[in-house]
């Protein structure tokens, strides 16, 4: 049995403002959205239509949208937010 990934990525449904959806990250049970100033914690549960992504698919999303791939390693941990 393998260990679960410390961060899991999701993509929201496409919208007019975000044709490729928004990138979300789940770490330590906390959901974050990638925003212009970095990761922002969301206070509400996972959007029901959000789809799970592999790390590679999240990297592809970042490349398409012009985001730095290093942001995928910067999702805040729960203990860092206390």
């Amino acid at each position: 049995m393998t260990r679960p990934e410390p961060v899991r990525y999701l993509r929201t449904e496409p919208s007019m403002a975000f044709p490729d959806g928004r990138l979300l990250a789940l770490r330590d049970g906390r959901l974050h959205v990638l925003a212009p100033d970095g990761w922002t914690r969301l206070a509400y549960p996972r959007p029901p239509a959000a789809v799970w992504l592999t790390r590679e698919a999240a990297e592809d999303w970042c490349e398409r949208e012009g985001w730095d791939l290093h942001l995928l390693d910067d999702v805040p941990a729960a203990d860092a937010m206390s």
Side-chain angles (χ1 to χ4, degrees):
M1 187 169 171
T2 61
R3 294 182 101 188
E5 293 181 37
V7 178
R8 299 209 42 212
Y9 302 98
L10 304 97
R11 183 180 45 81
T12 64
E13 283 186 286
S15 66
M16 287 181 69
F18 302 98
D20 283 329
R22 305 275 311 259
L23 188 64
L24 306 176
L26 183 65
R27 182 173 187 183
D28 300 329
R30 295 180 179 192
L31 191 63
H32 299 81
V33 63
L34 187 55
D37 58 347
W39 292 102
T40 300
R41 183 170 176 212
L42 298 177
Y44 48 85
R46 176 177 74 91
V51 295
W52 294 105
L53 299 176
T54 62
R55 167 71 186 227
E56 292 77 23
E59 289 174 358
D60 291 344
W61 185 94
C62 286
E63 288 176 346
R64 274 194 316 276
E65 296 296 312
W67 292 87
D68 186 343
L69 293 180
H70 295 295
L71 288 167
L72 297 177
D73 298 320
D74 291 339
V75 179
D79 57 357
M81 299 182 77
S82 302

